[in-house]
Amino acid sequence: MRTPHLLLALLVVLGACGDDAAPSQPSARTLFGPTIRRVVLEVDYVRGAEPYTDMSAWELFTANANRLFQGAGKTFEVPTALGQMEAITEAGTEFTTAQLLAVADAHRQRRSAGDTATFYLVWLNGYYHDGTRRRTDVLGVSLGTTGIIAVFKPVVTATAQGSLPYVARFLEQSTIIHEFGHAVGLVNNGVPPASAHHDSAHGAHCTNEACVMNHSNEGAAAARMFALRYMSTRNPVLFDQACLDDAAAMVATARSAP
Ligand SMILES: [Zn+2]
Ligand SMILES: [Zn+2]
């Protein structure tokens, strides 16, 4: 039911860019290891740019996060309703990486500590600015190893325009699944590849076009193929086996030598 006919995704490549690690954010090895028991998503939004929460949209993220960390003994705390998220005021219409870090600095309340790893997701009513120009094709970014993810709502809305409502929801969810994948260390962004599927020519991406971590999902044609494949399989897990195997290997490695 959530599976779209068309996924006009322009997923982002910026997983490996951004600032140095925030001191409190656990490494990928720690994150996948037994020390971290809880994984928390803090979600903020600018009014008018709020995440989709209808049509059980967040089930897609939850299913993918749980599958990625399968067997790792984590409990996820993921808000699924607007009442569990926080409205913030950010008037900007374009955001550089430095400005995104400043937004997080001003509004991020949950910090990784002890047995808890947190990720900060913020929905903005504006566009990413890559330092040279406004990027109307960038749906979201993951800032290095900070655990910070930004979603650029006007791009989500424009990309899904004219489509059935669940297309927009799928698109938004697949965007944050992709960015969350980067944030937790895929592909070779902290989690070593267990097989040869790192598309190093395109950054921290997966060579498999059927995987949510593939860079080509940035283009509408490839993203459409991606969506059609998932529509036919009805498989809610958007990571391919290679990426899931990387995560499983990381869980095993971290458990044997935390
Ligand atoms: Zn990417
Ligand atoms: Zn993959």
Side-chain angles (χ1 to χ4, degrees):
M1 176 182 134
R2 289 188 310 273
T3 318
H5 292 103
L6 193 63
L7 176 63
L8 297 168
L10 297 162
L11 296 171
V12 143
V13 221
L14 299 169
C17 83
D19 206 355
D20 290 337
S24 62
Q25 197 68 10
S27 68
R29 191 185 179 93
T30 304
L31 176 65
F32 280 85
T35 309
I36 299 296
R37 307 288 299 171
R38 298 200 317 140
V39 179
V40 173
L41 260 61
E42 178 185 358
V43 178
D44 286 357
Y45 62 90
V46 172
R47 281 198 182 79
E50 58 267 23
Y52 296 113
T53 51
D54 57 348
M55 300 175 75
S56 303
W58 283 77
E59 282 182 8
L60 197 57
F61 177 86
T62 304
N64 280 273
N66 276 295
R67 180 59 189 86
L68 191 63
F69 284 86
Q70 181 174 288
K74 316 290 184 199
T75 301
F76 282 88
E77 184 183 320
V78 178
T80 58
L82 274 191
Q84 301 166 322
M85 305 170 186
E86 188 190 357
I88 61 168
T89 301
E90 280 294 339
T93 55
E94 53 186 40
F95 300 86
T96 62
T97 296
Q99 287 169 320
L100 292 172
L101 290 168
V103 168
D105 207 39
H107 300 290
R108 189 177 190 177
Q109 294 173 328
R110 307 288 293 269
R111 300 284 175 174
S112 297
D115 68 351
T116 301
T118 70
F119 293 85
Y120 178 74
L121 286 73
V122 60
W123 266 248
L124 296 164
N125 199 4
Y127 298 89
Y128 183 61
H129 192 288
D130 65 9
T132 304
R133 63 188 177 93
R134 170 185 289 211
R135 297 291 301 270
T136 55
D137 57 335
V138 169
L139 286 159
V141 295
S142 171
L143 299 182
T145 53
T146 60
I148 299 166
I149 291 168
V151 177
F152 305 100
K153 191 72 179 193
V155 184
V156 176
T157 309
T159 306
Q161 195 165 27
S163 306
L164 292 169
Y166 56 69
V167 173
R169 283 134 188 92
F170 186 99
L171 180 70
E172 186 163 276
Q173 289 288 306
S174 65
T175 298
I176 62 171
I177 291 163
H178 181 102
E179 303 308 338
F180 183 72
H182 283 314
V184 303
L186 297 178
V187 173
N188 208 11
N189 192 37
V191 176
S195 63
H197 72 109
H198 177 205
D199 183 5
S200 55
H202 297 104
H205 289 110
C206 175
T207 51
N208 184 357
E209 289 179 6
C211 178
V212 72
M213 296 310 296
N214 187 267
H215 85 98
S216 74
N217 287 322
E218 288 160 338
R224 179 173 179 277
M225 292 302 294
F226 177 75
L228 289 172
R229 199 178 305 224
Y230 276 94
M231 187 174 68
S232 63
T233 62
R234 296 183 179 276
N235 177 3
V237 177
L238 308 187
F239 296 105
D240 72 342
Q241 196 59 48
C243 283
L244 294 174
D245 287 348
D246 291 357
M250 195 67 175
V251 171
T253 301
R255 184 175 287 147
S256 64

